Amino acid sequence: GVAALELNQGDSKSGRIARADVAALCIEATMYPNTTGGTTFECYDGETGKPLATVGLSNIMKAKNKSSDEVFVSGKERRGDTWEQIFTGLERDA
């Protein structure tokens, strides 16, 4: 569900995501055109977010972050308990 997801912008972080979550995110994004329109973002399970350069091996191993020490913070993460919350604050593409 939405609370487990993380959005990010800037091609610095990625992770794994279930197809059902991608489908839900696509549908819900159309319901919030004022916050999602004109934006590009990555989406993944928040527990799997890693720096883009290391995510390939992490995905193969189906690894989750084991501790807060493993969490990479880009500064553009978006999380929320609702779709509106997770979409709020996305930056429009230049």
Side-chain angles (χ1 to χ4, degrees):
V2 66
L5 300 180
E6 184 172 280
L7 306 183
N8 203 326
Q9 294 182 285
D11 289 327
S12 62
K13 193 173 178 180
S14 189
R16 292 186 325 278
I17 186 168
R19 289 183 180 134
D21 287 332
V22 173
L25 183 114
C26 290
I27 298 292
E28 293 295 333
T30 67
M31 308 300 268
Y32 298 93
N34 292 336
T35 55
T36 61
T39 65
T40 303
F41 53 87
E42 294 76 43
C43 56
Y44 46 87
D45 180 314
E47 292 184 6
T48 67
K50 303 245 187 233
L52 198 56
T54 64
V55 80
L57 182 58
S58 176
N59 282 350
I60 291 168
M61 304 294 288
K62 297 187 177 184
K64 291 187 176 184
N65 295 326
K66 295 179 181 125
S67 70
S68 60
D69 293 338
E70 291 186 49
V71 176
F72 166 69
V73 179
S74 72
K76 296 202 174 208
E77 291 84 357
R78 302 292 321 140
R79 295 194 83 164
D81 292 323
T82 67
W83 292 107
E84 184 175 21
Q85 288 174 348
I86 202 170
F87 294 139
T88 299
L90 289 172
E91 297 175 5
R92 297 207 185 276
D93 298 340

